[in-house]
Amino acid sequence: MKSMNEGATIGGNEVLIVIDVQNDFCPGGALAVPRGDEIVPIVNRLAARFRHVVLTQDWHPRGHFSFASSHIGKKPFETIAASYGPQVLWPDHCVQDTPGAAFHGGLQIPHAGLVLRKGMDRAIDSYSAFYENDRATPTGLVGYLRERRCLRVFLAGLALDFCVRYSAEDARRENFAVGVVEDACRGIDVDGSVAATRASFAALGIPCISVQQIARA
Ligand SMILES: [Zn+2]
């Protein structure tokens, strides 16, 4: 297989997964990723080159387990031990059917074939587009991509060091070829999480590429 470091030609077997470009993850939102809104025009242009596009949407019920407000005495960005491992606690964000959960108003990807919502289970967080944070409960995206004959997964969106990271790692684990379009992502960087993400990508052989490296077939 051709290395993604050499650039990628986009045809029918490639999919762009746009992670969580929602108001709450942009400046002014409840869990803003610094400069998160900068990627909106970049992602729009990038998505226009793909036949297959999936959008993910973080979509929590009120009182979700990942909210610091659901745990007495806990503050946002503290980590707790969940039954499935460490869980960072966040400010309340992306509550179902609220303006904060809506896609950023500038996002224009009308040809996206699937909007995949995640994080609906009150008791489990879901960073990845493929599995909830227990690493065992699938979202169904693997089956969708296989039926659509997508072999190569490109990722963009928010935040690089959480939902993009875990989605990329799960895609790799599911034996898709994976590339993270780094200039179409922004990180939130909690306790060195951006550095940890880069180290993990390097260890797993997940290349970070630029928008410029992606050409239409
Ligand atoms: Zn969330």
Side-chain angles (χ1 to χ4, degrees), residues 58 60 93 125:
D58 209 27
H60 299 307
H93 64 279
D125 204 5

Side-chain angles (χ1 to χ4, degrees), residues 25 31 58-60 64 66-67 90 93-94 118 125-126:
F25 293 128
L31 179 45
D58 209 27
W59 196 252
H60 299 307
H64 190 254
S66 74
F67 297 169
W90 305 106
H93 64 279
C94 297
K118 60 188 179 65
D125 204 5
S126 191

